[in-house]
Amino acid sequence: MSQAEVANVGTAIIGAGMSGLLMGIRLKRKGLPFRILEKAGSVGGTWRENTYPGLTCDVPSFFYSYSFEPNPDWTHRFSPGAEICRYFEGVAEKYGLLEDISFGTSVVDARFEDGGWTIHTGEGASLRADVLVDATGPLHIKNIPPIPGLDRFAGTMFHSAAWDHSVPLDGKRIGVIGNGSTGVQMMAPLSEVASDLTMFQRTAQWIFPVGNRPYTDRERRWTRRLPILGKLTRFVYKWIFDHASAGVVENGWWRRRMQRGCRDYLETVEDSELREKLRPDHEPGCKRLVMSREFYPTLEKEHVHLETTAIDHIEERGVVTSDGNLHELDVLVLATGFAAHEWGIANVVGIEGVSLKEAWASGPRTYRSVTIPGFPNFFMIVGPNSPLGNLSIIDVSESQTKYIFDCIERIDGQSGRALMPKRSAAERFQNAMREAMKDTVWVTGCSSWYLSPDGDPTLWPWTAREFHRVMKRPDFDDFEWVETG
Ligand code: NAP
């Protein structure tokens, strides 16, 4: 098929998760043409993929929701994953987005040619778009650890993001590898069904104590009746998060407060041997903070164990640690996180045939995290150097999609030219970031998915307030038009 015969969708958005839906809503409201390409059969992104026991969002639900679509019916301060997924399904339906989504469509190749994007899908389809928006996010390619013998395990094994709900857990000996937010969240519910539960911890994590509580029917009724209550709650949480997030980027009061909270909480573990096993050797906040009030009490249960001896290999019956001990298991959960630096896109090729992989061979380089020199009419939501830590990523995405929308409006109707950031602007941004990174807690000595292969954190090194300020509107002096004929 020639390019002239391939349908042009206007803006192609990859992914129908939280950000892709948001971008779609913005474009739909203004009547601009777009198509969302989604590899799976339903919306929700990470909330569709992750269904492990105990999954909640550790950002309060009133803040972890679109500002323009409040939900008075949240059941908990930190609502369960399934409820959050239903929220996104409801929003997609309400805004009539389902008709704009091509489900079962995985983008395998996208290249800028002849003034626009040619997109190929794994299902054999091709389409054209003037603008391409990557809304795939960093946390969806599963990290399967290269532990020797992993494939020899004779029990049931799955990654946390591919939970097999057909596997009965009652009375089973369960092992969990990994103690990030995911591993920690699943421990309490698993401990209620397992006969024996072992967490394999490679590096201790700091835990910040935050309790979850259900909202009462009465509270929900009032929030439904008086929507201002929901708005106020959101406002308060946003204020707290916008200010407290300074703790990771500035060495001041918020950092001391956050670090003291973690350190004091560790001291509440009564068993001194367990407490020392749980004591990290890095600063609180260096890795993404884990929020829980259930984790330490769960580890104090008699049938729950924290194994800190390194894993040597895995065999048919279970995990063998480097001291030669065999930990026999029926079920092994890999809560080992995600390949966060793949950025969800296999093959995106910009001008002069340079792929994103090549352009980022020594680490991602963006201009304000949403645009990239050499990649015209291409935008990323929640891409590298977005504020990705303990924040509402929805709040982040709202600013980014607004910024991208402003760019798309500028691009709309411009035939024969495409928009991209100047290299000089991207370099200026990178240099400022590199300088600001020195004050962040992420460079104080730990390994985490925050660090790119070249060792630089791929986060926003300034406050959330600064992020929203900078993203308010594009500075078009920092952009250039590429003549495409
Ligand atoms: P993660 O934070 O990357 O943690 C992965 C864990 O697996 C770490 O404990 C890591 O140990 C361990 N691990 C990896 N490879 C290993 C190996 N070969 N041997 C032994 N241990 C290994 O992943 P996650 O817990 O899935 O969380 C990822 C991100 O998802 C979070 O940071 C957060 O952004 C998001 N998340 C958010 C929520 C929420 O409530 N908002 C909940 C869950 C997840 P090391 O520390 O030693 O590397």
Side-chain angles (χ1 to χ4, degrees):
M1 214 187 306
S2 78
Q3 276 177 22
E5 293 170 76
V6 179
N8 188 315
V9 297
T11 294
I13 302 166
I14 312 176
M18 175 276 291
S19 299
L21 295 179
L22 186 53
M23 194 71 240
I25 290 170
R26 287 203 190 283
L27 293 169
K28 193 159 186 139
R29 274 177 172 164
K30 289 283 173 164
L32 292 172
F34 70 96
R35 187 100 208 130
I36 302 178
L37 311 171
E38 168 56 55
K39 66 177 177 187
S42 58
V43 306
T46 196
W47 301 105
R48 177 198 61 227
E49 308 271 294
N50 285 273
T51 59
Y52 61 81
L55 170 65
T56 60
C57 179
D58 60 14
V59 177
S61 300
F62 275 99
F63 188 33
Y64 195 84
S65 35
Y66 298 127
S67 59
F68 56 90
E69 199 51 54
N71 174 20
D73 293 317
W74 290 119
T75 60
H76 289 72
R77 177 189 285 164
F78 304 103
S79 297
E83 199 177 318
I84 298 170
C85 195
R86 277 200 301 280
Y87 169 81
F88 289 119
E89 288 165 355
V91 170
E93 238 179 87
K94 177 172 171 181
Y95 287 82
L97 283 178
L98 296 178
E99 64 192 39
D100 302 307
I101 304 173
S102 299
F103 290 108
T105 303
S106 46
V107 174
V108 291
D109 188 280
R111 52 193 63 229
F112 188 80
E113 53 189 17
D114 302 329
W117 287 91
T118 304
I119 298 160
H120 296 290
T121 75
E123 294 70 32
S126 302
L127 56 138
R128 288 276 294 168
D130 299 325
V131 175
L132 180 63
V133 178
D134 177 8
T136 55
L139 298 174
H140 70 117
I141 299 173
K142 299 170 195 76
N143 173 37
I144 305 298
I147 302 174
L150 198 67
D151 54 349
R152 285 178 54 203
F153 182 56
T156 307
M157 179 177 73
F158 42 77
H159 188 274
S160 55
W163 198 273
D164 184 349
H165 291 274
S166 69
V167 176
L169 300 173
D170 269 9
K172 300 288 189 227
R173 299 164 300 178
I174 304 176
V176 175
I177 301 181
N179 60 332
S181 303
T182 302
V184 165
Q185 284 186 347
M186 69 177 68
M187 286 298 279
L190 288 181
S191 75
E192 281 161 25
V193 291
S195 61
D196 193 88
L197 175 64
T198 304
M199 169 173 268
F200 296 91
Q201 169 188 290
R202 184 167 67 177
T203 313
Q205 291 261 20
W206 286 107
I207 310 284
F208 192 84
V210 182
N212 197 1
R213 78 166 181 93
Y215 290 122
T216 62
D217 287 344
R218 200 180 137 90
E219 284 173 308
R220 279 201 292 273
R221 244 191 342 267
W222 273 108
T223 316
R224 233 174 283 137
R225 222 177 270 166
L226 291 175
I228 186 76
L229 292 179
K231 282 187 185 156
L232 269 175
T233 312
R234 186 179 203 282
F235 176 83
V236 171
Y237 280 130
K238 181 168 164 51
W239 190 92
I240 295 171
F241 273 74
D242 278 358
H243 286 77
S245 62
V248 284
V249 293
E250 293 168 1
N251 197 359
W253 187 86
W254 285 104
R255 184 173 304 178
R256 287 195 296 280
R257 168 74 195 85
M258 174 262 289
Q259 296 194 330
R260 196 174 60 238
C262 293
R263 291 196 166 105
D264 289 353
Y265 187 51
L266 180 62
E267 297 312 313
T268 66
V269 177
E270 279 177 17
D271 178 336
S272 58
E273 197 182 322
L274 176 62
R275 190 165 62 237
E276 291 321 302
K277 281 180 169 182
L278 286 166
R279 190 178 300 282
D281 59 3
H282 54 267
E283 281 195 38
C286 187
K287 284 169 176 278
R288 184 181 186 276
L289 272 193
V290 178
M291 314 278 187
S292 178
R293 264 194 194 283
E294 292 182 311
F295 182 53
Y296 289 163
T298 299
L299 290 176
E300 287 176 313
K301 292 181 180 178
E302 214 151 276
H303 69 298
V304 180
H305 322 284
L306 181 70
E307 182 55 68
T308 55
T309 310
I311 296 173
D312 183 73
H313 65 277
I314 291 175
E315 60 138 272
E316 288 81 357
R317 289 170 296 164
V319 172
V320 180
T321 40
S322 61
D323 51 11
N325 279 340
L326 167 68
H327 304 262
E328 291 194 49
L329 300 169
D330 303 307
V331 178
L332 179 58
V333 181
L334 306 176
T336 43
F338 300 88
H341 303 289
E342 297 291 325
W343 298 105
I345 28 180
N347 208 10
V348 174
V349 181
I351 48 175
E352 292 153 15
V354 177
S355 75
L356 205 49
K357 266 208 162 85
E358 288 161 343
W360 287 359
S362 53
R365 303 282 181 267
T366 69
Y367 169 69
R368 294 192 181 171
S369 84
V370 288
T371 59
I372 302 155
F375 292 78
N377 290 5
F378 176 65
F379 302 92
M380 290 187 86
I381 315 177
V382 193
N385 297 114
S386 298
L388 291 175
N390 294 88
L391 283 170
S392 170
I393 207 72
I394 296 187
D395 194 44
V396 169
S397 187
E398 286 202 9
S399 278
Q400 293 182 331
T401 50
K402 162 74 175 58
Y403 184 98
I404 294 169
F405 179 80
D406 288 349
C407 292
I408 294 177
E409 271 202 316
R410 185 58 78 109
I411 292 165
D412 189 39
Q414 300 278 342
S415 83
R417 52 194 208 151
L419 190 71
M420 68 177 185
K422 293 177 183 163
R423 265 179 213 287
S424 56
E427 265 163 35
R428 211 171 55 238
F429 176 68
Q430 293 299 325
N431 290 340
M433 267 197 323
R434 207 160 293 130
E435 194 52 38
M437 281 303 171
K438 292 176 187 156
D439 295 329
T440 70
V441 71
W442 312 309
V443 296
T444 53
C446 69
S447 75
S448 78
W449 69 261
Y450 283 174
L451 305 181
S452 70
D454 61 5
D456 285 338
T458 51
L459 280 77
W460 178 262
W462 301 284
T463 62
R465 278 170 298 152
E466 175 64 4
F467 171 74
H468 292 301
R469 191 191 66 75
V470 163
M471 297 306 288
K472 233 182 186 96
R473 63 188 61 84
D475 179 349
F476 285 111
D477 287 345
D478 283 347
F479 284 82
E480 63 187 341
W481 291 104
V482 184
E483 300 302 327
T484 58

